Amino acid sequence: MKKRVLNKIRKNLIKQYSDYNSDKIDIIMYGVEALYITLEKSIIIFSLSFIFGIFKELILLLIFFNIIRMFAFGMHAPTGFICLIMSSAIFLLSAYLLKILTIPKSIIPCIYMAFIIIEILFAPADTVKRPIVKKKKRKIFKLLSILVTTTYFIISIIISNKVIINAMLLSILIECLLILPLTYKIFKLPYNNYKNFGSNIN
C-alpha cells in the first residue's frame, strides 16, 4: 500500500515538474514519505488509544512531549516499522499510566533534577538526517529544553491534577531516554552527528 501510494506521488511529481532533476524529486519524496509514515503511525496509535479508553490521556501526553522534543530532539527509530512498534508501546503504556500513577510530590524535585542533569549533558541529541551543526543553535536548544523542563517542574509543584503532573513527568522521561548515548548505542545509531561537519561551526 505504502509503496504503491508513494510511487504514484513520485510519477505525478515527475509529470507536473518535468524541470526538476532526480535529486530534487528525491528530496521532495523524502518529506512526503516522512509525512505518510507519521500519518499512518498516528492513525494506528490514536485508534488503539480510543479502543483502550486512553485517547484524552494520549493527546495530553503528546502535547507535552512534542514541546520538549522541539528543543531536545533525540533519536529516531531506524525503520518505520520499528518506529511504529516503539511509539505504540511507549505512548500507549505511558498514556495508561497517567491515570493510575501516583507520584509523591516530595520526590518530584529529585526526578526533575535528574532530568535537567541529563539535558545539560546530552541535549540536544541530533540524528544523521538532521545534524545540529551550529554550536550556537545547540546551546540555544539546550537552554530551551532546560527551560521547558523547569517550567514543567514549577507547574507540577503548583497544581494538584495528577494526570497533568504525570503527563509532564512522563513526557520528559521519554525524551531523556531518547537523548541518551546508550539508547543510540542499543539501536546502533551514530551519536553527535554534528561532529562530522566540524564542532567549531558557529
Side-chain angles (χ1 to χ4, degrees), residues 114-148:
F115 291 160
I116 290 172
I117 290 171
I118 290 172
E119 289 170 359
I120 290 171
L121 293 173
F122 305 119
D126 63 9
T127 63
V128 171
K129 293 180 179 178
R130 195 179 180 186
I132 307 171
V133 177
K134 293 186 178 180
K135 186 186 292 185
K136 185 177 180 180
K137 277 191 174 182
R138 293 198 303 274
K139 287 182 179 179
I140 291 171
F141 286 138
K142 185 186 293 289
L143 288 173
L144 288 172
S145 63
I146 293 169
L147 178 61
V148 171

Side-chain angles (χ1 to χ4, degrees), residues 2-193:
K2 172 187 164 185
K3 190 174 181 180
R4 189 165 62 249
V5 171
L6 293 177
N7 283 338
K8 188 174 182 180
I9 293 173
R10 175 181 280 275
K11 287 177 181 178
N12 286 333
L13 282 172
I14 293 171
K15 185 178 179 180
Q16 291 183 27
Y17 302 97
S18 56
D19 55 326
Y20 285 7
N21 59 34
S22 59
D23 289 339
K24 198 162 187 177
I25 293 292
D26 286 341
I27 292 170
I28 295 172
M29 285 307 302
Y30 174 75
V32 171
E33 184 175 5
L35 179 61
Y36 181 93
I37 291 170
T38 300
L39 289 173
E40 185 180 52
K41 181 177 66 176
S42 298
I43 290 170
I44 293 172
I45 294 175
F46 285 141
S47 298
L48 288 172
S49 71
F50 187 78
I51 291 169
F52 295 141
I54 52 173
F55 182 78
K56 291 180 181 178
E57 288 78 10
L58 177 67
I59 295 295
L60 187 63
L61 178 67
L62 288 176
I63 290 171
F64 287 120
F65 172 76
N66 282 303
I67 291 172
I68 185 63
R69 179 76 163 175
M70 283 192 299
F71 307 119
F73 295 87
M75 67 152 277
H76 288 273
T79 68
F81 178 73
I82 293 176
C83 180
L84 174 60
I85 298 300
M86 282 181 58
S87 298
S88 298
I90 292 170
F91 288 110
L92 291 175
L93 176 60
S94 298
Y96 173 73
L97 289 175
L98 297 191
K99 301 170 71 173
I100 64 171
L101 197 63
T102 301
I103 302 171
K105 283 213 170 185
S106 58
I107 68 168
I108 287 179
C110 296
I111 296 173
Y112 272 95
M113 181 60 68
F115 291 160
I116 290 172
I117 290 171
I118 290 172
E119 289 170 359
I120 290 171
L121 293 173
F122 305 119
D126 63 9
T127 63
V128 171
K129 293 180 179 178
R130 195 179 180 186
I132 307 171
V133 177
K134 293 186 178 180
K135 186 186 292 185
K136 185 177 180 180
K137 277 191 174 182
R138 293 198 303 274
K139 287 182 179 179
I140 291 171
F141 286 138
K142 185 186 293 289
L143 288 173
L144 288 172
S145 63
I146 293 169
L147 178 61
V148 171
T149 301
T150 304
T151 303
Y152 285 7
F153 165 64
I154 294 170
I155 295 172
S156 296
I157 296 300
I158 294 173
I159 68 172
S160 58
N161 188 303
K162 182 177 74 172
V163 173
I164 294 177
I165 291 171
N166 290 342
M168 290 188 292
L169 192 145
L170 288 174
S171 67
I172 300 289
L173 173 61
I174 294 168
E175 181 58 23
C176 283
L177 290 173
L178 291 175
I179 66 174
L180 287 175
L182 178 61
T183 308
Y184 278 72
K185 189 174 182 180
I186 290 171
F187 287 92
K188 298 180 180 180
L189 295 171
Y191 191 72
N192 281 344
N193 296 278

